[in-house]
């Protein structure tokens, strides 16, 4: 009997609280996303000279890459709004912009990590070199295969050295436009940008060859590479018609 007043008090309190809480369905729904950001470089724009001029690096990073970032964020914001409204048609129409600009952001973010000042260049060593020799015969054979396939890219695109997770083997692949390496089924280790904006100011028909062996070695072991791993390589092209070289 002494507990009855307490029970009634608790019930009254519960009813009062329940009345103060609006049903979840009446609450405004908000669809958010994490905006992409232009990454900082691990080196100054002029640090890759004379292989890549500071002017090219500044234009490529601060203008072209930044445009991909901005356009990707705009497309994702529109997609979030359309998803909230259930506007499937708009969601579908935005897929191309998301793939192109999102791919441009992902690809370039890795590309910058593949580059380092010429004085920090070293050839591949250890496990990665063993994998290259196992899957391509030699480093020179990999260079030839990579150059041949990348030269064959029609228009703009990327050349990739990637890892086949199922087999544990290295493979060379190319993608068109800004399609990321993941669309080939490979885990990217190294990427070479064969878009004209990567080189046209100075090299006319050249694309800079990129070797990021330390980063590639980490990636081949399944460990994400970071700029702190630098002992990556950059080399100029020997011939005016060679569009990519490792």
């Amino acid at each position: 009997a002494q507990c009855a007043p307490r029970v009634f008090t608790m019930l009254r309190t519960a009813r009062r609280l329940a009345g103060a809480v609006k049903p979840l369905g009446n609450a405004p729904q908000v669809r958010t996303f994490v905006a992409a950001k232009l990454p900082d470089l691990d080196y100054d724009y002029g640090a890759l000279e004379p292989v890549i001029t500071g002017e090219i690096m500044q234009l490529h990073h601060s203008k072209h890459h930044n445009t991909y970032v901005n356009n990707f964020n705009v497309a994702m914001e529109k997609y979030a709004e359309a998803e909230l409204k259930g506007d499937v048609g708009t969601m579908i129409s935005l897929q191309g912009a998301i793939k192109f600009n999102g791919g441009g952001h992902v690809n370039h973010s890795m590309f910058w990590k593949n580059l380092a000042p010429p004085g920090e260049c070293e050839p591949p060593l250890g496990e990665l070199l063993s994998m290259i020799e196992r899957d391509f015969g030699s480093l020179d054979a990999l260079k030839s295969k990579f150059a041949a396939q990348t030269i064959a890219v029609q228009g703009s695109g990327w050349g990739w050295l990637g890892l086949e997770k199922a087999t544990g083997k290295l493979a060379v692949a190319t993608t068109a436009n800004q399609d990321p390496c993941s669309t080939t089924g490979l885990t990217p280790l190294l990427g070479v940008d064969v878009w004209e904006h990567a080189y046209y100011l100075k090299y006319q028909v050249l694309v800079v060859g990129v070797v990021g062996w330390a980063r590639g070695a980490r990636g081949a072991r399944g460990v994400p590479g970071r700029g702190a791993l630098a002992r990556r390589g950059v080399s100029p092209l020997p011939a005016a018609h060679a569009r990519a070289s490792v």
Side-chain angles (χ1 to χ4, degrees), residues 18-163:
V21 177
K22 294 182 179 181
L24 190 59
N26 294 335
Q29 296 181 359
V30 178
R31 181 72 167 85
T32 61
F33 70 96
V34 178
K37 295 181 180 180
L38 182 69
D40 294 330
L41 301 183
D42 296 333
Y43 38 80
D44 295 331
Y45 286 137
L48 305 185
E49 292 184 350
V51 180
I52 310 178
T53 67
E55 185 181 9
I56 290 175
M57 284 297 298
Q58 183 174 12
L59 179 67
H60 198 174
H61 176 257
S62 67
K63 300 297 184 181
H64 292 291
H65 187 174
N66 198 42
T67 297
Y68 294 128
V69 170
N70 291 335
N71 289 343
F72 175 70
N73 288 335
V74 169
M76 287 299 297
E77 184 174 3
K78 291 181 179 179
Y79 186 93
E81 294 173 355
E83 186 177 27
L84 184 61
K85 297 175 182 178
D87 186 352
V88 177
T90 298
M91 292 166 64
I92 293 173
S93 70
L94 289 166
Q95 293 296 316
I98 292 172
K99 180 181 180 182
F100 180 79
N101 293 290
H105 173 47
V106 169
N107 292 347
H108 283 87
S109 294
M110 180 175 180
F111 183 59
W112 309 132
K113 295 293 185 182
N114 288 160
L115 301 177
E120 297 181 17
C121 298
E122 289 183 359
L125 301 171
E127 183 179 1
L128 179 59
L129 179 59
S130 297
M131 294 175 71
I132 290 172
E133 293 174 341
R134 179 197 67 193
D135 297 333
F136 299 100
S138 67
L139 178 59
D140 286 339
L142 167 60
K143 291 180 179 181
S144 298
K145 183 177 179 66
F146 192 98
Q149 289 190 215
T150 306
I151 288 170
V153 172
Q154 296 183 355
S156 300
W158 290 77
W160 301 99
L161 174 65
L163 177 69

Side-chain angles (χ1 to χ4, degrees), residues 188-214:
L189 304 181
L190 299 171
V192 172
D193 186 351
V194 292
W195 276 71
E196 192 176 78
H197 65 222
Y199 57 90
Y200 69 90
L201 287 180
K202 180 177 180 181
Y203 299 106
Q204 303 294 320
V205 294
L206 300 184
V207 166
V208 176
V210 181
V211 176
W213 299 118

